[in-house]
Amino acid sequence: MSAPKTAMAFWVTHPGQGQLQQEPLPTLGEAEVHVRALYSGVSRGTESLVFHARVPDSETQRMRAPFQAGEFPTPVKYGYCSVGRVTHGPDALVDKTVFCLHPHQDHYVVPADMAVPVPDNVPAQRAVLTANMETALNGVWDANPMLGERVCVVGAGVVGALVAYLCARIAGVEVTLVDINPERETLAQALDVPYALPEQAPNDQDCVIHASGHPDGLRLAMSLVGNEGRVIEMSWFGQGEVSLPLGGAFHSQRLTLRASQVGQLPAKLQPRWNYRRRLNVALRLLADPALEALISSECDFADFPERAPALFSPQSTALCHRIRYP
């Protein structure tokens, strides 16, 4: 059966508005694959900034997704959490379920080496968490929690919850997942991670990892860390500005505030690691069925433009939203 010659893709057409648009597909090359999408995941933090056209001018090149089309602010086709089935291409990949850093689109053609096979013990539905797991993995590397340390993770969104999940599996590490939403306690329990509201969060932490996306969360993180402790900032505020209390304990206790960003591998790993190796590890880490708790909602691809404004609103409490393709 021949591959389709057109595809439907989700485009952000105006700030706070998107629609499905039909577009032609390129002719399949010798070292390329045609993928029929099964699911894609919405990375709410980054995609919310894109949806509301809040990507800073200084970051438009660094923020580009691998198969992005269009330019910031709009119109732009964006996304990087697609799982599909290879229908045409090299024999070794045909009929394989693969993960690809591709925007929300029902069919696409990409280089074969960009379609990463999903392990047999990871369902396609759960593999939409791969990009989030990659970000969490990089954040844990940057935080470098050591045996027996006390660690708080502030912000129980998808990335924060995954960071806490990974840290809790390091021998002796005492992890607390902190969030203002008491309903996140159920998620923490599903991931076997202790939970606390901000006012209950433990002090004198060796490391606090911030992933709430809100300035108040970062200020809380700085208040929880102990002497000579470190705060790892995983949120990205786009065009927003953040005011921080740097005049008190930050200096007297010699605290460290460090950014973590998935676009670069930690320097200490670069001699041996590359992005493909990190992606393969992220996929393997998704074998645990407990991670299904991070999928909070789902819709058909045809309904996504209508659902997007509510999903990307500041009031949304969604975790990972999964899109189904026919």
Side-chain angles (χ1 to χ4, degrees):
M1 186 170 64
S2 61
K5 292 182 168 51
T6 62
M8 294 295 293
F10 177 75
W11 284 74
V12 179
T13 52
H14 299 88
Q17 182 180 338
Q19 65 182 41
L20 299 185
Q21 297 182 359
Q22 189 174 58
E23 56 189 69
L25 286 173
T27 302
L28 187 68
E30 184 175 345
E32 293 181 322
V33 291
H34 181 281
V35 179
R36 175 177 62 85
L38 300 172
Y39 302 94
S40 62
V42 176
S43 183
R44 280 196 65 248
T46 302
E47 289 194 55
S48 179
L49 293 172
V50 173
F51 187 73
H52 293 290
R54 290 169 45 208
V55 176
D57 292 341
S58 63
E59 301 302 307
T60 54
Q61 291 306 307
R62 281 187 286 264
M63 272 288 297
R64 288 193 67 86
F67 297 102
Q68 173 183 326
E71 302 293 338
F72 301 121
T74 62
V76 63
K77 179 175 73 173
Y78 195 83
Y80 45 81
C81 308
S82 181
V83 180
R85 186 70 50 82
V86 175
T87 61
H88 300 78
D91 291 342
L93 285 174
V94 170
D95 290 333
K96 295 284 188 183
T97 300
V98 295
F99 174 84
C100 185
L101 296 163
H102 199 281
H104 308 290
Q105 185 168 316
D106 61 357
H107 293 267
Y108 48 89
V109 174
V110 295
D113 61 1
M114 294 295 288
V116 183
V118 175
D120 291 341
N121 62 344
V122 177
Q125 298 96 314
R126 197 184 309 147
V128 298
L129 295 168
T130 303
N132 296 124
M133 180 62 89
E134 235 192 325
T135 301
L137 176 61
N138 217 68
V140 174
W141 281 339
D142 286 327
N144 192 28
M146 294 181 287
L147 297 175
E149 281 198 315
R150 296 188 294 266
V151 177
C152 265
V153 180
V154 177
V158 176
V159 170
L162 285 170
V163 168
Y165 169 85
L166 293 175
C167 288
R169 279 141 186 83
I170 299 172
V173 171
E174 299 176 25
V175 181
T176 305
L177 181 59
V178 181
D179 198 273
I180 61 173
N181 182 357
E183 294 180 3
R184 289 290 192 257
E185 184 172 8
T186 302
L187 171 64
Q189 290 172 346
L191 300 179
D192 198 23
V193 175
Y195 166 85
L197 292 166
E199 59 269 23
Q200 302 166 336
N203 294 308
D204 198 29
Q205 299 293 287
D206 298 293
C207 178
V208 180
I209 303 166
H210 176 239
S212 80
H214 196 282
D216 286 345
L218 179 53
R219 289 189 280 268
L220 173 66
M222 294 179 64
S223 74
L224 298 177
V225 72
N227 189 56
E228 295 275 359
R230 59 202 187 276
V231 176
I232 307 300
E233 174 56 270
M234 296 191 67
S235 298
W236 191 61
F237 294 97
Q239 295 177 343
E241 294 186 0
V242 178
S243 174
L244 296 177
L246 301 182
F250 181 77
H251 282 281
S252 63
Q253 295 193 37
R254 293 168 52 87
L255 306 183
T256 298
L257 175 61
R258 181 179 180 184
S260 175
Q261 211 283 330
V262 71
Q264 293 188 49
L265 293 164
K268 64 185 177 183
L269 299 182
Q270 289 181 17
R272 299 172 307 283
W273 286 76
N274 55 32
Y275 295 114
R276 179 61 176 257
R277 182 179 176 186
R278 184 182 66 185
L279 186 60
N280 281 323
V281 172
L283 277 162
R284 294 203 304 272
L285 289 170
L286 292 173
D288 188 350
L291 297 175
E292 289 288 341
L294 292 164
I295 310 293
S296 63
S297 57
E298 188 176 76
C299 74
D300 291 330
F301 185 43
D303 298 328
F304 184 52
E306 183 180 348
R307 295 282 297 273
L311 182 67
F312 293 128
S313 75
Q315 292 74 36
S316 174
T317 59
L319 291 166
C320 178
H321 180 81
R322 186 166 56 203
I323 300 171
R324 298 183 300 261
Y325 292 80

